[in-house]
């Protein structure tokens, strides 16, 4: 096997994938994974080395990525700036490499990262929307109280034990992690939450979002939300938000190896002109008009599913 002095280089990739057809990032026996699909493409370009791609985060089955980061080692003559085009020509349309760069041999996609940031999109309109459904969770039963959800989310900031938000099967030795930044806002019928942390537990964001929706629907108070995770009451956290609303937005490093435009905020936030949130039934008939839609000239958004069902965990 070639030594480092004989031409082995470490290559970093900024990667996107639409996760609905994959069992997640990591290889699983008998299932289609992003890792295996990428490694098979890499092997076609450098057949003299066993290819192993290491990722910044192991996204779960059905979860998307706008800015996943991976690294691998190569010995072939392909220049770094050509790797993205070369790999994309061998990948399915559901995976795309946005950028490639040579990094030091000590650089690691996972261990060199300073944060990961996830975005979850909720569609809170009354009517299904086919073009949003692959990217968000359609909650149409009640108008979500985004103010209460935002207050509950802000309480997660800091370093804490988040055992309440860790699914069974995790190999982590402990459940402590640092939540560095959070945001939650409504854009018309879309409610978009973002959580940034030094690292995430297995299933953490989906379990948090399941609880936040309960807060938004007034089934759980913000204080009750906080009490559950501070008491590490995993048995009380029974519902997880569906995977298709979740996207690994980006991975941060002290010095990014990629151009800013390739990695920073690459999940589009779609724009809907008309708003149609669920409301309580009116006691009087609506006024006659050409349309009962409430429209505003500017709303932004990003993704949606057509079902209001929970994912059971």
């Amino acid at each position: 096997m070639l030594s480092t002095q004989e031409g082995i280089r470490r290559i970093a990739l900024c990667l996107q994938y639409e996760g609905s057809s994959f069992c997640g990032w990591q290889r699983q026996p008998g299932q289609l994974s992003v890792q295996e699909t990428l490694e098979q493409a890499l092997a076609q370009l450098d057949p003299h080395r066993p290819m192993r791609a290491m990722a910044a985060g192991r996204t779960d089955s059905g979860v998307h990525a706008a800015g996943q980061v991976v690294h691998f080692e190569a010995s072939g003559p392909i220049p770094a700036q050509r790797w993205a085009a070369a790999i994309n020509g061998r990948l399915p349309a559901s995976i795309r490499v946005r950028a490639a760069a040579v990094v030091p041999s000590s650089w690691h996609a996972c261990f060199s990262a300073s944060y990961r940031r996830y975005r979850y999109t909720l569609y809170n309109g009354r009517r299904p929307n086919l073009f949003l459904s692959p990217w968000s969770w359609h909650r149409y039963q009640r108008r979500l109280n985004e103010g209460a959800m935002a207050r509950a989310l802000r309480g997660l900031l800091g370093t804490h034990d988040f055992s309440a938000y860790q699914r069974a099967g995790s190999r982590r030795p402990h459940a402590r992690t640092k939540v560095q930044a959070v945001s939650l806002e409504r854009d018309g019928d879309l409610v978009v939450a973002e959580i940034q942390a030094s690292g995430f537990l297995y299933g953490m964001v989906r379990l948090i979002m399941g609880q936040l929706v309960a807060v938004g629907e007034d089934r759980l108070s913000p204080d009750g939300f906080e009490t559950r995770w501070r008491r590490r009451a995993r048995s009380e956290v029974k519902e997880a938000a569906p995977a298709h609303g979740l996207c690994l937005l980006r991975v941060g490093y002290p010095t990014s190896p990629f151009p800013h435009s390739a990695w920073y905020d690459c999940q589009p936030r779609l724009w809907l002109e008309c708003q149609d949130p669920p409301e309580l039934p009116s006691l009087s008939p609506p006024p006659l008009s050409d349309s009962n839609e409430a429209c505003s000239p500017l709303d932004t958004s990003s993704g949606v599913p057509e079902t209001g069902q929970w994912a059971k965990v």
Side-chain angles (χ1 to χ4, degrees):
M1 183 176 291
L2 294 173
S3 68
T4 303
Q5 289 74 23
E6 292 172 317
I8 295 179
R9 295 168 300 156
R10 181 161 290 191
I11 307 293
L13 303 176
C14 183
L15 191 70
Q16 293 184 332
Y17 44 88
E18 196 279 310
S20 59
S21 61
F22 297 102
C23 69
W25 159 259
Q26 191 171 15
R27 281 179 175 263
Q28 301 289 338
Q31 299 186 61
L32 181 66
S33 69
V34 178
Q35 182 181 25
E36 182 176 8
T37 304
L38 177 63
E39 288 174 350
Q40 289 175 347
L42 293 173
Q44 297 176 46
L45 296 168
D46 195 354
H48 303 294
R49 290 185 55 79
M51 283 297 181
R52 180 167 174 79
M54 306 296 293
R58 297 177 179 180
T59 54
D60 295 340
S61 176
V63 174
H64 313 298
Q68 173 72 281
V69 177
V70 305
H71 80 257
F72 65 97
E73 293 185 340
S75 59
I78 301 175
Q81 66 271 20
R82 298 290 303 276
W83 271 103
I87 299 169
N88 283 335
R90 292 162 174 81
L91 287 171
S94 53
I95 305 176
R96 280 294 173 264
V97 177
R98 288 183 56 83
V102 176
V103 292
S105 59
S106 59
W107 189 94
H108 196 284
C110 180
F111 303 129
S112 298
S114 54
Y115 71 81
R116 290 92 174 149
R117 191 177 184 98
Y118 280 88
R119 175 184 289 164
Y120 199 96
T121 304
L122 294 154
Y123 172 43
N124 193 210
R126 286 184 291 182
R127 294 172 174 83
N129 188 319
L130 179 66
F131 294 97
L132 297 177
S133 59
W135 308 100
S136 69
W137 183 17
H138 190 188
R139 292 299 294 181
Y140 51 83
Q141 293 88 347
R142 296 190 62 175
R143 183 181 177 91
L144 294 172
N145 182 343
E146 69 274 12
M149 296 170 71
R151 289 195 299 274
L153 187 60
R154 285 194 294 269
L156 298 177
L157 288 168
T159 302
H160 307 285
D161 186 313
F162 290 107
S163 299
Y165 300 133
Q166 182 171 251
R167 292 178 61 184
S170 174
R171 297 179 180 178
R172 285 178 59 112
H174 60 81
R176 291 185 66 81
T177 192
K178 182 177 182 179
V179 175
Q180 301 167 333
V182 298
S183 69
L184 188 142
E185 59 184 13
R186 177 182 286 275
D187 290 322
D189 287 343
L190 288 119
V191 177
V192 180
E194 294 186 11
I195 305 176
Q196 177 176 307
S198 56
F200 286 88
L201 310 178
Y202 178 39
M204 180 175 174
V205 181
R206 291 174 58 195
L207 289 168
I208 289 173
M209 290 307 303
Q211 296 289 285
L212 283 179
V213 165
V215 172
E217 294 178 342
D218 297 325
R219 296 183 288 111
L220 178 66
S221 69
D223 288 343
F225 174 93
E226 182 168 355
T227 297
R228 282 184 179 179
W229 70 259
R230 287 195 181 276
R231 286 196 294 108
R232 308 174 193 175
R234 178 65 185 89
S235 62
E236 298 177 22
V237 181
K238 300 181 182 298
E239 300 155 333
H244 51 243
L246 182 59
C247 182
L248 174 57
L249 188 61
R250 60 179 172 266
V251 183
Y253 297 89
T255 302
S256 175
F258 311 114
H260 189 78
S261 59
W263 71 276
Y264 186 74
D265 197 1
C266 298
Q267 184 191 23
R269 295 186 61 171
L270 305 176
W271 178 72
L272 293 175
E273 183 175 352
C274 292
Q275 301 179 35
D276 187 27
E279 300 288 0
L280 293 174
S282 175
L283 297 179
S284 58
L288 295 176
S289 66
D290 292 335
S291 171
N292 288 327
E293 305 291 340
C295 298
S296 67
L298 233 98
D299 295 326
T300 52
S301 104
S302 143
V304 176
E306 194 172 308
T307 175
Q309 298 301 310
W310 294 96
K312 295 297 182 182
V313 294

